[in-house]
Amino acid sequence: MQVRETLAIDHAPTFTNRSGIHISKITLGFIVGIFVCGIVGSGFLVYHFISCPKEPKCSVGDISTTTSGPSVGIPVPKLTAADFLLPTALKPHHYELKIQPFFAEKDFMFDGEVVVTLEALEDCKNITLHSLALKVPEKEIRIVENGTEREIGVSGTSMVETQQFFVVKSNEVLKKGQFYRVLLKFHGILNEYMQGFYRSSYRVGNDTRWLAATQFQPTDARRTFPCMDQPDLKARFTISIARPKSMISLSNMKRVREASVDNNPDYLWDVYEESVPMSTYLVAFVVCDFAKQTDETGMVSVWARQDAIKSTDYALNVGPRLLKYLERFFNLSYPLEKMDMIALPDFSAGAMENFGLITYRETSMLYEEGISAINNKHRVATVISHELVHQWFGNLVTLKWWNDLWLNEGFASYMEYLGVDAVEPSWMSMDLFVVLELQNVFALDALSSSHPISVDVANPDEINDIFDRISYSKGATIIRMMDNFLTSELFRRGLNTYLKTLMFDSATQDDLWGFLTDAARNGGVFDNDTSVKVIMDTWTLQTGFPLVTVTRNYDDGTVELQQQRFFLINQTSEEKEDPLWWIPVTYTTSKELNFSNTSPSHWMRGERSVQLHDVVIDKSDWLIVNLQQSGYYRVNYDDENWRAIVSDLNDPVKFRKIAPANRAQLIDDALNLARGGYLSYVTALEVTRYLQQETDYVPWKTAINGLNFLDSMLQKTGQFDLFRRYCLSLLEKVYHQVGFVDAGNSSMLTVYKRVEILTLACQLGYSDCVDRSVEQFNMWIHQPNPDLHNTISPNLKSLIYCTAIKYGEQRMWDFAWERFMNTQVASEKEILLSALGCSREPWILIRYLDRSLTDAYGIRKQDVFRVFGAVASNGIGHTIVFNYLRSNWDQIRVYLGSLTNLNMIIKYSIRRLNTPFELEELKRFADVHLKDSGRTVKQSIEKAEANISWMKRNYKVITTWLEKVTKVV
């Protein structure tokens, strides 16, 4: 959505709202009756400030649209976050919410009423709430003064469309210090876009079963009931839900009683106990006919479709164990008496941390032993861990405003690994962090169109835009870095004090920094001149991350470290002066070989360069900086140091003395330094040659990520076979080591390694891999009842399905499609959706895209991006998807509805563009159709530009090197 703009009045005094953002403050006499008009679309945006007694804190200003009158041509400044914050005159204390959904018999509507108890912090005549897509009859609104129970008249209402404000105008002044109850009735639609209060369905035989569920984060509670929909405006909630007698309801708190519904004998009211203070985005309720299981304590319950309830066994096993671990970690009990977790057929996110009622996408909570792969089990544990962390970090103490979203998501994304490591220690979760989080986010954060972790956001579209890998993965990575430089004991001590002090309140990142600084100083890690804020502001308020270049003086033994911002497109000559970071420095040498000490030995204190004089190292030895990749930065070395590292990597004994995480770091840094133009590709590719003797998972996972980029760039060139043959030579040893049999006693990392290696081999067309995949798929086809008897190992399904469909006949695609239509297992549907995009027949791929944009074939809106992504990842598919996107944009936009879903489609459809023609076509399309898509298109365009620049710089260098090492003349 295009950001609408509002009028700024110069030289006005200011007051500060709840989130510390300054808003213009104008005297009464100046604002009464002022009107300013400006064009908005085909009509005019009319700004009329409402008169308020003494202080204009009751309203920022009303905005409405009209369709007549001339434009006065006044430029309208951009709205800021301050303009989207509610006035500060009123504070909510309690909501009594009653809501009744109606299903097919009444066209998926809902009715409700809410009583909001407000405290007047200032005299005011206007009550401003958030409301969106609701009908709120003015004649049924009442204002009652607490205590006296005197009713105050309502003189009118108005809607501020841009800010989604609903203003109720009272006949009398609401007096400072007094409490009032505002009673509103409302009506809405159970939408199909997974926002607010929405409808979902599933099939049992030929019957369609309906349910209704909520998703309010970040700003969609206002789609369900009028409220003060800001994270800092916490209140208590007493919720009643009317549901059909054949269904059940769930909400945040325990149900206390049932009651009959007047004039509707088919419905019952479920009345829930009053909640703890919480933000509106954490309110949740579900009406469904699901089955449940409860743990032995009666504390944790899991809910799912009746035919999927057996798939909740693992969630019910791991959830209580994670809850107990987190209580010990935070040294603070879980604040509610129950925890419900429910798997929903339609859900826009992976899961949502609603207080006491966590909602999940089915694939994030259901695991079917013998059908689902081990990565599905890992996903379930990780997502549950993430959402349970939020019960403390986000729910108990909540961000004041969405600019600190990372405070919620970064902590949960880091601590999910700690939680899983505690309950499933054999999975080696902390080893996975480097490749799944840190290295994963580097590519996005290396773009000039990236954003700081803590970023100014105003309207709901901008807020939704930052639910990305920067907030999650970069946030997690810098928190892990902080855990290392503070020490885990002091890190936990600071968190505990933060949570206990600010319980049921809201906070900013500076609040957290203060508690962590106190812990660090009291623990002797920091002196009184060092603070967490000074260090961490350089990581949260600046875009990007540093490249630390290590240059050794081989004569006097000194080492110089220099920092600069890393870009995928090297922009040092055009950019303003680089930002500077506080960088914790850890290192070891080939003599010392101590990779376990991640406490910094030195700091770069926002300095461009530092000299290290105490490094003890021989000229012929190497130096490796950033142990275990505990710091969020890349490292480059002088040529001599790189040569020493490459020499030891290629030694069959010495390479194992370098920690696996640092072997992964060397591969990732080298390939990406070359990609960004900081290092010769000859050096980077020389680093990869050692992989022919590598057998550990983490380095191979990193290498495959890097090789996949090269694959995508070279795939449509005449020299691709050189690359293919080189990769197969690297795979030879490890391919035979992992084997094509999924041994039942394999560790999780061994399974992951097998899947990654076999997938790459099949992707490169290795005949043994292709033949075995087609053979196993054919065995499945010939089973008497393939829906009940699948002979393919769950862990190998993804690669075998895809390979067989890619290299097999059309009957294999048709068979897989039939299995997709028949299966009720969510994880199986997900694998099949991706595999069906592997066909090499253009007409099949186009038909598949067509089928994803209708309800007729069982592909849910939440999974359409998976179809587009699967086809785009196909060698021939990315051009097909790009053309399809442009040709069918209007249909796609109408069908998917929400900007979040559309951005996912855009991102996956255009991520592999690497020719000037494709780039120009993308820019033309974006100029017309994608102006409201936020950073997604900007980042995609920048990536395409980077890819084109990469091809010009590196194609000849790489192919010449490949010719040499593969001995091709």
Side-chain angles (χ1 to χ4, degrees):
M1 183 178 72
Q2 183 67 40
V3 178
R4 295 193 182 180
E5 300 179 332
T6 189
L7 181 71
I9 301 179
D10 293 335
H11 312 302
T14 62
F15 69 93
T16 304
N17 62 31
R18 295 180 181 88
S19 293
I21 300 173
H22 288 81
I23 302 175
S24 295
K25 170 182 173 184
I26 309 162
T27 61
L28 168 65
F30 189 69
I31 66 170
V32 174
I34 290 180
F35 293 83
V36 181
C37 303
I39 295 178
V40 173
S42 60
F44 297 92
L45 198 61
V46 179
Y47 298 79
H48 52 100
F49 293 92
I50 301 171
S51 90
C52 307
K54 298 182 181 177
E55 295 284 343
K57 295 184 184 179
C58 55
S59 180
V60 174
D62 291 343
I63 303 176
S64 59
T65 57
T66 183
T67 56
S68 62
S71 167
V72 296
I74 297 176
V76 186
K78 181 180 178 180
L79 291 172
T80 67
D83 299 298
F84 284 87
L85 293 171
L86 291 168
T88 58
L90 299 168
K91 177 183 177 181
H93 280 260
H94 184 267
Y95 293 84
E96 183 177 351
L97 174 63
K98 296 181 178 180
I99 199 158
Q100 181 173 16
F102 301 99
F103 294 95
E105 77 276 9
K106 285 195 177 181
D107 297 323
F108 304 104
M109 306 291 289
F110 64 87
D111 294 338
E113 57 182 77
V114 64
V115 180
V116 190
T117 301
L118 300 166
E119 178 187 4
L121 304 179
E122 299 289 342
D123 289 356
C124 189
K125 289 189 72 174
N126 292 341
I127 299 166
T128 305
L129 306 171
H130 285 109
S131 181
L132 179 63
L134 295 174
K135 292 182 179 179
V136 187
E138 180 180 314
K139 64 181 180 180
E140 297 191 68
I141 299 173
R142 296 171 57 212
I143 304 172
V144 177
E145 184 179 55
N146 268 19
T148 66
E149 301 304 306
R150 184 174 61 87
E151 187 164 339
I152 298 170
V154 174
S155 63
T157 62
S158 62
M159 188 70 200
V160 187
E161 298 289 348
T162 306
Q163 285 106 319
Q164 300 170 1
F165 289 169
F166 179 73
V167 183
V168 178
K169 306 169 187 178
S170 67
N171 280 333
E172 300 178 16
V173 173
L174 308 181
K175 295 293 187 180
K176 178 180 178 179
Q178 182 57 270
F179 285 79
Y180 299 88
R181 299 195 307 279
V182 184
L183 293 76
L184 307 99
K185 293 187 177 181
F186 54 89
H187 314 280
I189 296 173
L190 290 172
N191 68 77
E192 56 183 344
Y193 300 113
M194 296 170 282
Q195 297 174 300
F197 198 20
Y198 68 93
R199 68 182 184 265
S200 176
S201 66
Y202 66 98
R203 304 279 294 177
V204 177
N206 294 323
D207 295 334
T208 298
R209 304 285 181 87
W210 291 101
L211 62 139
T214 57
Q215 171 56 29
F216 289 167
Q217 191 184 45
T219 60
D220 284 331
R222 65 192 67 175
R223 290 178 180 270
T224 304
F225 61 102
C227 57
M228 292 186 159
D229 198 14
Q230 289 175 199
D232 62 323
L233 296 180
K234 291 189 171 186
R236 295 180 182 271
F237 291 80
T238 301
I239 295 173
S240 298
I241 302 167
R243 43 89 181 173
K245 288 182 176 178
S246 61
M247 304 175 84
I248 58 97
S249 74
L250 298 168
S251 189
N252 305 87
M253 308 301 290
K254 282 186 173 182
R255 190 182 65 169
V256 292
R257 60 186 176 89
E258 291 179 354
S260 58
V261 175
D262 293 342
N263 304 319
N264 195 335
D266 296 327
Y267 273 71
L268 286 173
W269 284 108
D270 285 337
V271 182
Y272 291 87
E273 67 182 13
E274 184 181 78
S275 76
V276 297
M278 62 183 182
S279 304
T280 49
Y281 80 87
L282 295 171
V283 173
F285 33 89
V286 178
V287 177
C288 63
D289 64 351
F290 283 7
K292 79 164 179 174
Q293 296 192 88
T294 302
D295 77 326
E296 59 187 16
T297 69
M299 174 77 167
V300 179
S301 296
V302 290
W303 300 78
R305 296 176 283 114
Q306 178 66 57
D307 58 1
I309 193 64
K310 64 182 184 298
S311 299
T312 63
D313 288 350
Y314 180 66
L316 189 60
N317 172 280
V318 78
R321 290 190 288 138
L322 284 164
L323 206 58
K324 289 177 182 176
Y325 165 76
L326 292 169
E327 286 184 320
R328 293 194 302 270
F329 184 93
F330 290 122
N331 192 25
L332 196 60
S333 296
Y334 171 64
L336 302 184
E337 294 182 6
K338 64 94 174 175
M339 168 54 70
D340 285 311
M341 303 194 296
I342 186 167
L344 299 171
D346 294 291
F347 196 68
S348 58
M352 177 60 207
E353 66 266 20
N354 314 297
F355 233 156
L357 173 56
I358 302 176
T359 44
Y360 294 85
R361 185 178 290 211
E362 287 192 335
T363 49
S364 296
M365 194 181 120
L366 305 182
Y367 170 75
E368 184 66 26
E369 192 75 44
I371 296 177
S372 305
I374 194 170
N375 70 302
N376 297 114
K377 190 175 188 179
H378 185 225
R379 176 179 177 182
V380 168
T382 300
V383 175
I384 290 176
S385 182
H386 182 104
E387 305 309 328
L388 290 177
V389 169
H390 275 312
Q391 304 301 303
W392 286 266
F393 221 98
N395 296 10
L396 191 64
V397 180
T398 309
L399 48 84
K400 281 189 181 296
W401 182 244
W402 296 106
N403 61 307
D404 281 332
L405 169 70
W406 83 274
L407 212 68
N408 279 9
E409 300 302 346
F411 265 86
S413 297
Y414 173 52
M415 289 202 56
E416 72 188 41
Y417 284 85
L418 297 180
V420 172
D421 193 50
V423 298
E424 300 283 7
S426 66
W427 291 2
M428 307 295 288
S429 293
M430 299 315 295
D431 287 355
L432 294 175
F433 184 94
V434 167
V435 288
L436 300 183
E437 303 295 338
L438 185 148
Q439 293 176 0
N440 194 4
V441 75
F442 268 148
L444 178 59
D445 207 22
L447 301 175
S448 61
S449 51
S450 183
H451 64 83
I453 289 180
S454 183
V455 58
D456 290 335
V457 287
N459 67 63
D461 287 335
E462 291 176 341
I463 295 167
N464 277 296
D465 210 25
I466 62 169
F467 280 78
D468 63 3
R469 279 187 290 149
I470 298 298
S471 297
Y472 285 70
S473 296
K474 181 177 178 180
T477 298
I478 67 165
I479 290 161
R480 171 177 173 261
M481 178 175 67
M482 184 170 60
D483 189 352
N484 277 287
F485 72 66
L486 287 175
T487 73
S488 292
E489 180 186 349
L490 297 180
F491 176 69
R492 290 175 64 173
R493 192 182 301 170
L495 289 183
N496 176 255
T497 309
Y498 166 83
L499 291 171
K500 286 183 175 178
T501 305
L502 297 176
M503 189 182 301
F504 298 118
D505 205 342
S506 55
T508 67
Q509 66 176 27
D510 283 357
D511 294 320
L512 178 59
W513 299 158
F515 289 105
L516 291 172
T517 298
D518 290 343
R521 288 175 179 171
N522 293 334
V525 172
F526 285 176
D527 58 30
N528 289 332
D529 295 324
T530 307
S531 71
V532 172
K533 176 176 171 57
V534 168
I535 296 169
M536 295 305 291
D537 276 0
T538 67
W539 297 97
T540 64
L541 303 181
Q542 298 185 137
T543 304
F545 60 90
L547 164 62
V548 174
T549 301
V550 180
T551 306
R552 292 170 56 187
N553 185 320
Y554 291 87
D555 294 324
D556 63 14
T558 59
V559 177
E560 183 181 41
L561 307 181
Q562 292 182 310
Q563 64 162 301
Q564 65 186 108
R565 183 179 170 189
F566 180 91
F567 287 101
L568 269 183
I569 304 178
N570 200 331
Q571 302 181 13
T572 52
S573 60
E574 299 177 6
E575 290 290 307
K576 63 183 180 181
E577 187 177 1
D578 275 344
L580 295 170
W581 288 266
W582 273 61
I583 302 173
V585 177
T586 56
Y587 69 86
T588 193
T589 67
S590 51
K591 287 288 191 291
E592 186 180 23
L593 292 173
N594 180 2
F595 287 91
S596 60
N597 185 6
T598 55
S599 295
S601 59
H602 299 78
W603 282 88
M604 298 186 76
R605 300 172 178 263
E607 303 154 290
R608 182 72 55 199
S609 64
V610 297
Q611 293 275 346
L612 307 185
H613 297 279
D614 54 352
V615 180
V616 180
I617 183 171
D618 294 338
K619 288 184 179 182
S620 60
D621 293 336
W622 49 251
L623 173 75
I624 291 179
V625 172
N626 197 13
L627 303 183
Q628 304 290 336
Q629 272 194 292
S630 56
Y632 183 60
Y633 55 93
R634 292 202 181 279
V635 184
N636 197 4
Y637 302 97
D638 59 71
D639 290 342
E640 284 295 321
N641 201 74
W642 272 119
R643 276 192 285 271
I645 289 171
V646 170
S647 176
D648 274 17
L649 283 174
N650 283 289
D651 185 290
V653 175
K654 291 181 179 179
F655 88 96
R656 291 202 172 277
K657 295 181 180 179
I658 300 173
N662 279 101
R663 300 204 296 272
Q665 173 211 16
L666 291 167
I667 297 167
D668 191 56
D669 280 351
L671 288 174
N672 283 282
L673 288 166
R675 185 176 171 183
Y678 300 93
L679 181 68
S680 163
Y681 251 110
V682 170
T683 300
L685 291 170
E686 286 292 333
V687 172
T688 67
R689 294 185 72 171
Y690 101 94
L691 288 166
Q692 56 193 317
Q693 59 194 12
E694 179 63 81
T695 56
D696 281 355
Y697 170 71
V698 172
W700 261 115
K701 173 63 175 174
T702 298
I704 288 170
N705 290 342
L707 294 173
N708 278 337
F709 170 75
L710 295 175
D711 180 290
S712 68
M713 292 296 100
L714 301 175
Q715 197 171 79
K716 293 187 176 182
T717 71
Q719 300 296 320
F720 177 71
D721 190 53
L722 292 175
F723 174 74
R724 189 184 74 86
R725 290 165 60 189
Y726 173 66
C727 289
L728 289 176
S729 72
L730 299 179
L731 285 171
E732 184 175 358
K733 177 181 178 180
V734 72
Y735 180 86
H736 292 292
Q737 184 214 41
V738 299
F740 214 92
V741 176
D742 186 27
N745 59 350
S746 298
S747 70
M748 192 181 73
L749 289 191
T750 299
V751 173
Y752 278 11
K753 179 175 64 173
R754 179 179 295 118
V755 171
E756 293 282 355
I757 295 300
L758 296 181
T759 299
L760 180 59
C762 283
Q763 178 184 313
L764 293 168
Y766 185 46
S767 59
D768 183 72
C769 190
V770 172
D771 292 346
R772 285 172 177 264
S773 296
V774 173
E775 178 186 3
Q776 292 199 23
F777 198 84
N778 271 319
M779 288 175 62
W780 183 28
I781 288 177
H782 289 99
Q783 287 292 312
N785 190 337
D787 291 319
L788 291 180
H789 301 103
N790 188 338
T791 55
I792 299 172
S793 166
N795 294 320
L796 302 183
K797 284 179 177 179
S798 181
L799 76 97
I800 288 175
Y801 291 3
C802 179
T803 305
I805 289 170
K806 178 179 180 180
Y807 291 98
E809 305 163 4
Q810 180 189 334
R811 68 186 179 92
M812 292 185 167
W813 195 97
D814 293 338
F815 174 83
W817 176 255
E818 188 177 355
R819 304 287 73 73
F820 168 77
M821 296 291 287
N822 290 349
T823 185
Q824 296 299 314
V825 179
S827 61
E828 186 74 359
K829 279 188 175 292
E830 194 172 86
I831 291 172
L832 286 163
L833 276 176
S834 294
L836 288 163
C838 296
S839 172
R840 293 189 290 183
E841 289 287 351
W843 71 269
I844 288 180
L845 297 177
I846 293 169
R847 184 184 66 178
Y848 188 34
L849 294 171
D850 286 340
R851 289 182 178 182
S852 74
L853 296 176
T854 172
D855 292 329
Y857 297 98
I859 299 175
R860 298 182 182 274
K861 284 185 172 68
Q862 67 188 18
D863 292 320
V864 173
F865 84 93
R866 201 174 299 281
V867 175
F868 277 70
V871 177
S873 296
N874 184 332
I876 67 165
H878 93 266
T879 302
I880 290 172
V881 166
F882 184 45
N883 292 335
Y884 189 95
L885 181 77
R886 291 177 294 151
S887 301
N888 298 276
W889 177 249
D890 289 340
Q891 178 191 357
I892 294 169
R893 181 175 50 79
V894 171
Y895 182 70
L896 292 179
S898 78
L899 186 61
T900 301
N901 287 335
L902 292 172
N903 276 340
M904 291 284 280
I905 293 289
I906 294 166
K907 181 173 72 173
Y908 281 95
S909 298
I910 60 184
R911 61 182 172 176
R912 300 181 73 173
L913 304 187
N914 68 348
T915 68
F917 172 76
E918 290 172 327
L919 176 61
E920 290 308 310
E921 289 296 301
L922 172 59
K923 287 181 175 178
R924 274 196 286 271
F925 178 63
D927 284 343
V928 177
H929 298 288
L930 305 179
K931 291 181 179 179
D932 296 336
S933 56
R935 290 186 178 86
T936 299
V937 169
K938 291 179 183 176
Q939 290 170 348
S940 297
I941 289 173
E942 187 179 349
K943 285 179 181 178
E945 291 171 341
N947 291 345
I948 293 166
S949 174
W950 185 94
M951 290 292 288
K952 290 178 181 177
R953 284 197 327 267
N954 300 306
Y955 177 69
K956 184 63 177 175
V957 173
I958 291 172
T959 54
T960 300
W961 185 87
L962 288 170
E963 286 175 351
K964 177 183 175 182
V965 299
T966 54
K967 297 183 173 59
V968 174
V969 179

